[in-house]
Amino acid sequence: MSTVSAGFRLMRAGWVLVREGVVAALPGEELSGLPKFGWRLARLFTRRRALAYERSDRLAKAVVRLGPSYVKLGQFLATRPDVVGNDMALDLAMLQDKMHTFPRAEAITAIEASLGRKVGDLYAQFGDPVAAASIAQVHAADTVHDGIATKVAVKVIRPGVRRRFFQDLESYFLAAHLQEKYIPSSRRLRPVEVTETLAQTTKVEMDLRLEAAALSELGENTRHDPGFRVPSVDWERTGRDVLTMEWVDGVKMNDIAGLATAGHDLKTIAANLIQSFLRHTLRDGFFHADMHPGNLFVEANGTIVAVDLGIAGRLGKKERRFLAEILYGFITRDYLRVAEVHFEAGYVPRQHNVAAFAQAIRAIGEPIHGQPAETISMAKLLTLLFEVTELFDMAARPELILLQKTMVVVEGVARTLDPAFNMWKTAEPVVGGWIAGNLGPRGMMIDARDGAKALLTLARQAPELAARTDRLSREIDLMAEHGLRFDETTARAIGKAEARYSRSGRLALWVIALTLVYIAWKLV
C-alpha cells in the first residue's frame, strides 16, 4: 500500500509541475519520440497564466504548492548540476525557503516536548513567529540571566514535518527505482544513490542539535576573523526540535537600499563576504553551504552575521589543496599544473594523458584572460571545469559540487552588492596566502609530521592487520576449493525481494496509467 500511496503522491507532483508550466519550460525541442510527445502534451495542460512567467518563477510557484519537502528537494538538486543540468541547477539555487507560519501554540507544544520544561520557565517572554521556512520557523523571545534580559531567536521544528518528509521520500525512491529500471541511460547518474543522499541530509537538517553544533564549530573557527561571525548558541534551551541562539540586529543582505541607507560600504561588504567564504573553505575545511542573501545580516559596524546553518560543507586537506592550486593555476595561467593536480588527487583516471587534459583546461582559461578581471566569474570557471572533467571520466564528487553551488550563490551576492566586483583581485590574498602557508616549506613540514603520525598509527595496528590478512587468506582458499555459496535463508530473501520489486513496479505503472485515463476523461 505504501508503494500505491507513493505512486499517487508522485503523480500529483507531476501534475502540479505540468500545470505550473515547469515541464513546458524545459528544452523539449531537442527531444524525439515518446518524450517529445509527452512534452507537447504537457504544454497543452499548462495553465495559461503560467506561460507568462520565467522558468525560475514557474518552478518557485510549483514548489510552494507541493510543500516543504519539495523546497528541500529543489535546493538539494541545485547542488547536483550533473543530474539536472547547469541551467536548472541555477534556477533551483534561487528557490527561497519561505513558507507560511504555524500557530504559536503549536510551537510552544513542540518546545515543551523537546526540552521537558514549561515555556514560562525557559523564556521570560515568547513572541509570535517572525520568519518561517520549510523545516522550521523562528520566534523572538527573551531570557533572563542575573536579572538582565537578553533577546534571543528561537527556531522550532514545523509540526508533522518529519512524517511529511518521509512520506514524500517514498515517492522520490519510487521515482528513482523506476528511472533506473526503465531508463538505462540514467543509471550513470545513480538516482537511487542521489535519493539516499537527500534522505540522509534531510535527517541531519531536521535535528536542530546538529545545526547548533555546526554554529558552535563555525563560531570557534571564526572567533578571530575580521568582519564575520555567527550567532552564539544557548545550549540550555536547545534540543532536537528547538534551537535557541543569539538575536541578530542587522540589515539583511538582500536589502540593498537598506544597506546603503545604513551607510555601509557595499564594495567592502562584497569583498569581506568572498574572502570570509574562501577562508572558511581553505583554512578550516568547513563552510556555510546555504549563504543566500536571506541568511546573511550586516550589523551596524559592518560585520557579516550568517544564520541558518542547517546545510554545511566539508573539504578534506586534499580537496582544499585541489581547490587552491586550481584557482592559483588559472590566475598564473599554469594549465599544466592545474592538470597535474587533478591526476595527483586521483580525480582523473591514470589512463588519460596529462598533456591532453591540460589542453582542455587551456580552452577554459585562455578566453577568461582576454576579459576584464571584473567580468570573470570564478563560479562559472568551476562549472566549465567540471564539464570538461566529465570528458575525462572524472566522477562527480558531492563535496566539490556543494562547494561549486555555494560559490555560485556567494559570488552572485557579491556582484549584486558591487556590479564591478573583481573576483580574482579579492580572492588572491586568501588563496595565495593559503598556498604559501600550506604548500611551501611550512606546509612540507606539516605534511612530514602528519606522515610520521600515520606511520606510527599503522605500526601500532600491524598485529591486528596481520591477523586479518591471515583470516582473509584462509577464507579465499576455502572459496577457491568449494566455491561461493548462499545459505537457504539468503537465497529465499533474494527471491522475495525480487518478486516484491517487480510487483511494486507493475502496480505503480497501472496506477499511473489509470490516473492519466481519468484526467483525460475529466478534461474531455
Side-chain angles (χ1 to χ4, degrees), residues 129 279 350:
R279 197 176 292 119
R350 288 287 177 182

Side-chain angles (χ1 to χ4, degrees), residues 347-411:
Y347 293 151
V348 177
R350 288 287 177 182
Q351 68 263 24
H352 291 288
N353 184 276
V354 177
F357 189 50
Q359 178 185 353
I361 291 174
R362 181 180 292 272
I364 298 172
E366 285 304 300
I368 288 176
H369 281 283
Q371 302 177 25
E374 63 269 15
T375 67
I376 301 173
S377 167
M378 187 183 293
K380 185 177 180 181
L381 168 65
L382 288 179
T383 299
L384 293 172
L385 179 63
F386 291 147
E387 287 179 356
V388 167
T389 53
E390 286 181 15
L391 300 176
F392 288 82
D393 302 320
M394 175 176 164
R397 301 188 64 86
E399 70 278 10
L400 297 181
I401 292 174
L402 185 60
L403 169 70
Q404 176 197 4
K405 171 256 184 182
T406 309
M407 189 168 287
V408 167
V409 175
V410 173
E411 188 177 24

Side-chain angles (χ1 to χ4, degrees), residues 123-180:
Y123 308 102
Q125 181 272 334
F126 185 79
D128 292 325
V130 296
S134 58
I135 287 179
Q137 71 181 23
V138 177
H139 295 254
D142 291 324
T143 60
V144 177
H145 294 281
D146 298 327
I148 300 174
T150 303
K151 190 174 183 181
V152 294
V154 184
K155 187 172 182 179
V156 186
I157 284 287
R158 188 175 288 274
V161 70
R162 290 187 181 88
R163 178 178 53 80
R164 176 67 185 275
F165 263 87
F166 294 145
Q167 286 177 344
D168 285 336
L169 278 171
E170 288 182 352
S171 303
Y172 304 158
F173 274 110
L174 175 60
H177 281 296
L178 292 174
Q179 186 179 354
E180 281 199 355

Side-chain angles (χ1 to χ4, degrees), residues 307-490:
V307 300
D308 195 2
L309 198 49
I311 305 175
R314 291 189 183 274
L315 291 180
K317 188 173 182 180
K318 182 174 72 172
E319 286 76 24
R320 283 183 268 164
R321 176 191 164 198
F322 168 74
L323 174 64
E325 290 216 59
I326 280 178
L327 297 180
Y328 204 73
F330 274 105
I331 292 172
T332 59
R333 301 174 73 175
D334 189 351
Y335 305 120
L336 181 59
R337 181 57 193 152
V338 175
E340 289 172 347
V341 169
H342 279 76
F343 280 81
E344 290 171 9
Y347 293 151
V348 177
R350 288 287 177 182
Q351 68 263 24
H352 291 288
N353 184 276
V354 177
F357 189 50
Q359 178 185 353
I361 291 174
R362 181 180 292 272
I364 298 172
E366 285 304 300
I368 288 176
H369 281 283
Q371 302 177 25
E374 63 269 15
T375 67
I376 301 173
S377 167
M378 187 183 293
K380 185 177 180 181
L381 168 65
L382 288 179
T383 299
L384 293 172
L385 179 63
F386 291 147
E387 287 179 356
V388 167
T389 53
E390 286 181 15
L391 300 176
F392 288 82
D393 302 320
M394 175 176 164
R397 301 188 64 86
E399 70 278 10
L400 297 181
I401 292 174
L402 185 60
L403 169 70
Q404 176 197 4
K405 171 256 184 182
T406 309
M407 189 168 287
V408 167
V409 175
V410 173
E411 188 177 24
V413 175
R415 291 193 187 278
T416 302
L417 297 169
D418 178 12
F421 181 72
N422 187 325
M423 185 68 174
W424 297 105
K425 183 178 179 181
T426 306
E428 199 280 333
V430 178
V431 177
W434 189 88
I435 287 178
N438 290 271
L439 302 182
R442 179 187 168 194
M444 293 175 66
M445 292 180 64
I446 293 173
D447 288 344
R449 182 196 64 191
D450 293 344
K453 286 183 178 179
L455 285 174
L456 181 60
T457 301
L458 186 63
R460 288 173 176 169
Q461 295 177 348
E464 183 181 352
L465 291 173
R468 288 182 180 179
T469 303
D470 182 58
R471 287 197 301 271
L472 179 62
S473 176
R474 289 199 300 270
E475 289 173 2
I476 291 175
D477 288 341
L478 288 172
M479 288 171 57
E481 182 178 353
H482 302 292
L484 180 64
R485 297 181 179 181
F486 288 123
D487 62 35
E488 185 178 350
T489 303
T490 301

Side-chain angles (χ1 to χ4, degrees), residues 105-126:
E106 293 186 15
I108 290 175
T109 301
I111 292 171
E112 293 179 345
S114 182
L115 299 180
R117 296 167 64 186
K118 292 293 185 182
V119 164
D121 297 334
L122 294 164
Y123 308 102
Q125 181 272 334
F126 185 79

